[in-house]
Amino acid sequence: MSQNKTRYIEIENISFGYGKGPDLFNNLSLGLDKDEITVLLGENGSGKTTLAKLVMGMLGPRSGRIMLDGVSVEDLALGEVGMRVGYLFQNPDHQIFGATLIDQLLWSFEFLGEDIDLAKGKAEELIRLFGLEGSRDTYPYYLSLGEKRILALASVLMRSPDYLILDEPTSSLDEERAGVLKEVLKNLSERGIGMLIITHDYDFPEGLAHRTIVLSEGRACNG
Amino acid sequence: MVERGKLDPRSKLFFVATISSFAVGVSDTRMLLFLFILAALALVYLGTGIYQAVHRLGKLIYVVLALAIVQSVLTDAGEPLIRLMGVTILTDYGIERAAQFLLRVSIIITSSFLILTSTTRDLIQGLLQMKLPYELVFMLSIAAKFLPTLRNEMIHKVMAMELQGIDLKGIRMGKKLKAYRYLLLPVTVNSLLKSRELGVAMEMRGFRAMETRTSFRQLRLEGKDYLFMGATAATVIIAYIIIT
Ligand SMILES: Nc1ncnc2c1ncn2[C@@H]1O[C@H](COP(=O)(O)OP(=O)(O)OP(=O)(O)O)[C@@H](O)[C@H]1O
Ligand SMILES: [Mg+2]
């Protein structure tokens, strides 16, 4: 056990429940590192998405804390977390803003006055990588669910995060797209980008995951 | 005694309609205050929404303050209370107008919370029995059910935006409009797409297949409802005569 080493993301004894409801987690601790791909499994409603939102700072724990690179997530603005950790929402609609494919990938760069030429190059690369050329002229709202998910993921990757939290990335993807995704993730991992992959797909993590964790009754167990 | 929250929704609608139309019609601050107290009492008596109502009103305080100043600066009436470099900033008239505005809005919000103490289902049935067309009532109920979904979607979208480094609160006005366009356009289009699907689903289940529609459950106005409506009307009219 590497108890002394601090991990990139440290979830320390957190408890959380929605509103006045009962605890969904009680004293949950988990460390996540940049040099590994962790797969998070668990039944529907076991709290996987909730845990991801807690790590992103979208929800605050009742007690305990979550450290990101040595800083408590609660002390960071969402933007600061988002620049380091890319989060693919379970529902891709939440992340789609643009009126076209290119607009979706570039609008935040334009909006924030960031280097647009650099971003354009990156966008083209991602479009090619994920085979999105055919969807260039479709309004993103009309894309199929799987296409939306890929587009949302491409938007997340535009920001070159250090770590990725992917909430069911393969759900509604066809086999070919899932294969491409796996290759992309493998590549990113080799470049030192860590990942937490939430999934119900038992085949996808084959040959990708370094460890598997099962969330059950508010506890994280090694699977 | 009236059982809490168990009044017929039509009685509550009557109360809201009476109180609100007086609130809009009268311009006497004391009468407005009286109406507000009445609405608050009814709310305390019938439900638990009072805290939410107060919370909602708390957010209005800046609007009221701004209104008091605008009314003071733009009209000649009233005694000046605060003057700055020869310009009247605040007058008693301005304060009174702002107070009246606050009371009117408070009355309408507080009394609307009263309606929420009925279940949506009862409300729909009540409206139907008031001979409102079913299509209209159904649309209202769908809209009411859509709201939480819409709210959830907005909350997530705003957070997704913030994660991209765009903080809606911290940006300039001109850019804010642009950000809101990126926020609202997809939500609107998605709502339209969803409602189109809903329409198809409804027709598949025989919506409007028959000319007439009957309901299994019927609401009946009882003694306590007549008592409540009568008391409301009497109290408001008597108070109006005495105060003005
Ligand atoms: N905003 C909310 N308010 C109240 N309860 C919620 C909220 N969001 C989720 N829950 C509840 O919390 C529990 C965990 O939800 P969560 O979405 O984290 O599950 P999950 O493990 O991601 O499930 P799935 O595999 O279906 O995606 C569920 O029982 C859900 O009903
Ligand atoms: Mg989930």
Side-chain angles (χ1 to χ4, degrees):
Chain A
M1 281 279 173
S2 55
Q3 288 291 343
N4 311 330
K5 194 180 125 204
T6 39
R7 312 250 203 169
Y8 185 62
I9 295 171
E10 286 279 3
I11 300 170
E12 298 174 357
N13 301 313
I14 57 160
S15 305
F16 177 83
Y18 284 101
K20 294 193 178 76
D23 277 354
L24 205 53
F25 316 115
N26 199 322
N27 261 323
L28 179 104
S29 294
L30 184 66
L32 301 167
D33 234 333
K34 281 205 277 186
D35 59 9
E36 58 184 17
I37 297 182
T38 308
V39 168
L40 182 61
L41 303 172
E43 294 173 8
N44 292 129
S46 56
K48 303 180 296 299
T49 300
T50 305
L51 188 64
K53 287 181 182 170
L54 280 160
V55 173
M56 295 308 293
M58 295 163 66
L59 297 171
R62 282 179 177 163
S63 64
R65 57 178 193 170
I66 293 162
M67 305 295 286
L68 173 63
D69 209 5
V71 187
S72 171
V73 167
E74 272 178 289
D75 297 333
L76 294 170
L78 279 185
E80 293 173 292
V81 182
M83 290 302 122
R84 287 173 233 191
V85 184
Y87 176 41
L88 177 70
F89 285 57
Q90 186 166 4
N91 179 352
D93 275 332
H94 294 328
Q95 279 173 297
I96 290 179
F97 300 97
T100 64
L101 196 73
I102 280 289
D103 190 27
Q104 164 65 17
L105 295 175
L106 295 180
W107 84 274
S108 71
F109 289 83
E110 218 169 316
F111 192 91
L112 294 168
E114 291 167 319
D115 189 343
I116 200 74
D117 288 327
L118 200 76
K120 263 183 193 152
K122 183 141 196 181
E124 290 302 333
E125 190 189 323
L126 285 165
I127 289 174
R128 216 171 328 107
L129 192 63
F130 285 121
L132 286 169
E133 285 102 343
S135 316
R136 230 177 237 282
D137 300 322
T138 316
Y139 290 119
Y141 336 110
Y142 292 127
L143 291 177
S144 78
L145 191 53
E147 288 167 329
K148 277 187 192 169
R149 207 177 297 281
I150 286 292
L151 177 57
L153 180 64
S155 323
V156 168
L157 294 178
M158 282 296 293
R159 292 255 156 224
S160 314
D162 301 329
Y163 196 90
L164 285 170
I165 298 182
L166 309 175
D167 201 341
E168 305 202 10
T170 57
S171 108
S172 62
L173 293 200
D174 60 47
E175 212 167 321
E176 195 185 322
R177 278 265 171 65
V180 171
L181 178 64
K182 196 165 170 171
E183 280 311 306
V184 172
L185 296 184
K186 217 181 227 168
N187 259 320
L188 289 169
S189 168
E190 278 158 16
R191 285 195 266 147
I193 293 168
M195 275 164 232
L196 179 70
I197 303 178
I198 298 170
T199 187
H200 291 291
D201 180 344
Y202 291 91
D203 296 330
F204 183 70
E206 249 333 287
L208 191 65
H210 300 106
R211 79 176 162 147
T212 304
I213 285 168
V214 182
L215 198 58
S216 167
E217 288 165 12
R219 309 173 69 85
C221 320
N222 288 311
Chain B
M1 278 273 65
V2 183
E3 204 182 326
R4 277 166 190 258
K6 281 293 162 67
L7 277 179
D8 190 290
R10 285 168 292 174
S11 309
K12 295 179 192 170
L13 284 170
F14 177 80
F15 180 87
V16 175
T18 311
I19 298 265
S20 304
S21 35
F22 265 88
V24 175
V26 299
S27 53
D28 184 292
T29 313
R30 286 164 305 165
M31 182 66 194
L32 287 171
L33 193 64
F34 175 77
L35 289 172
F36 175 62
I37 294 171
L38 203 64
L41 281 180
L43 189 60
V44 171
Y45 190 64
L46 285 169
T48 51
I50 188 83
Y51 299 107
Q52 286 154 286
V54 169
H55 182 72
R56 229 171 256 181
L57 289 173
K59 293 183 182 162
L60 271 174
I61 195 72
Y62 294 108
V63 180
V64 172
L65 219 64
L67 210 75
I69 292 177
V70 168
Q71 292 273 5
S72 301
V73 174
L74 295 186
T75 53
D76 296 329
E79 284 296 309
L81 298 177
I82 302 178
R83 287 174 70 88
L84 209 71
M85 292 186 292
V87 183
T88 308
I89 301 293
L90 206 62
T91 60
D92 56 356
Y93 173 78
I95 291 185
E96 188 175 357
R97 291 305 297 259
Q100 290 190 350
F101 168 79
L102 177 66
L103 281 168
R104 283 201 185 100
V105 175
S106 306
I107 291 164
I108 292 169
I109 292 182
T110 316
S111 58
S112 323
F113 264 79
L114 201 73
I115 298 179
L116 298 181
T117 57
S118 290
T119 61
T120 328
R121 209 180 141 197
D122 275 354
L123 259 174
I124 290 171
Q125 189 61 30
L127 290 171
L128 275 182
Q129 287 180 225
M130 284 165 74
K131 301 279 183 288
L132 256 69
Y134 183 75
E135 283 80 1
L136 186 73
V137 177
F138 191 81
M139 248 160 53
L140 286 177
S141 78
I142 298 269
K145 280 183 198 136
F146 243 42
L147 281 180
T149 322
L150 212 61
R151 197 181 111 88
N152 178 45
E153 193 160 336
M154 287 301 276
I155 290 174
H156 277 98
K157 273 197 117 78
V158 169
M159 286 202 273
M161 240 183 202
E162 285 181 30
L163 285 173
Q164 295 216 31
I166 296 164
D167 182 4
L168 281 176
K169 288 194 204 87
I171 47 181
R172 282 186 293 109
M173 203 52 212
K175 289 203 117 184
K176 210 170 250 183
L177 288 179
K178 194 172 172 199
Y180 273 106
R181 201 189 73 210
Y182 276 102
L183 191 67
L184 294 176
L185 192 68
V187 173
T188 313
V189 176
N190 275 339
S191 300
L192 288 176
L193 292 177
K194 252 180 237 166
S195 58
R196 204 188 290 167
E197 269 174 29
L198 186 71
V200 175
M202 273 159 48
E203 288 191 6
M204 276 164 65
R205 294 188 54 175
F207 185 75
R208 291 220 303 198
M210 306 283 176
E211 277 291 305
T212 52
R213 224 191 128 90
T214 52
S215 313
F216 177 66
R217 237 163 62 91
Q218 291 288 329
L219 293 172
R220 272 191 36 230
L221 287 171
E222 292 170 19
K224 61 187 180 192
D225 291 304
Y226 290 112
L227 196 69
F228 180 75
M229 286 193 269
T232 305
T235 316
V236 174
I237 291 170
I238 291 170
Y240 183 71
I241 293 169
I242 293 175
I243 293 177
T244 58

